[in-house]
Amino acid sequence: MILIQSATQFERAAARLQKERMRIARHEPGFYRVENTSKGRTYHVRVERHDGLTFGTCTCEAGTPSRRNSQPLVCKHLCAVVIYLRAIREMRRRAH
């Protein structure tokens, strides 16, 4: 799991995200399907809150590395979901 602490974690992922198109669909609360329409691949992202902290996981290689001593990284799929959630939260805030 990746602890989401600040926007600086997403700088490199956001740069990669701008090069490709993503489509996000919500399956259940906190669980999203992210389709990379440029490459035709689908990944699953989960965003959870525990003890006031936000964590994220992704099924891509960066989000769940298969190498033994590798740490999960903030990937473009997790970045896309966080941007999506922040946009929805801002729209709801402005509607009230």
Side-chain angles (χ1 to χ4, degrees):
M1 295 184 95
I2 302 164
L3 175 61
I4 300 171
Q5 296 174 324
S6 65
T8 57
Q9 290 177 283
F10 294 92
E11 290 175 356
R12 291 180 62 201
R16 291 189 305 273
L17 180 61
Q18 291 178 354
K19 297 176 185 175
E20 299 173 358
R21 295 185 56 118
M22 302 286 171
R23 180 176 292 145
I24 300 168
R26 180 177 170 215
H27 274 288
E28 58 188 51
F31 189 68
Y32 301 88
R33 187 187 78 204
V34 180
E35 181 183 350
N36 184 333
T37 57
S38 301
K39 294 183 178 179
R41 294 187 177 164
T42 302
Y43 302 97
H44 295 93
V45 175
R46 182 173 298 279
V47 178
E48 301 174 350
R49 291 191 55 87
H50 297 287
D51 299 325
L53 301 173
T54 305
F55 294 90
T57 58
C58 182
T59 58
C60 72
E61 178 62 27
T64 53
S66 58
R67 287 188 236 132
R68 184 170 215 162
N69 293 323
S70 297
Q71 294 292 324
L73 301 172
V74 175
C75 62
K76 57 189 169 189
H77 315 106
L78 178 58
C79 182
V81 170
V82 169
I83 291 170
Y84 171 77
L85 292 174
R86 291 179 80 189
I88 289 175
R89 183 180 64 203
E90 184 64 22
M91 285 189 290
R92 287 180 180 160
R93 187 185 67 77
R94 288 185 182 191
H96 292 290

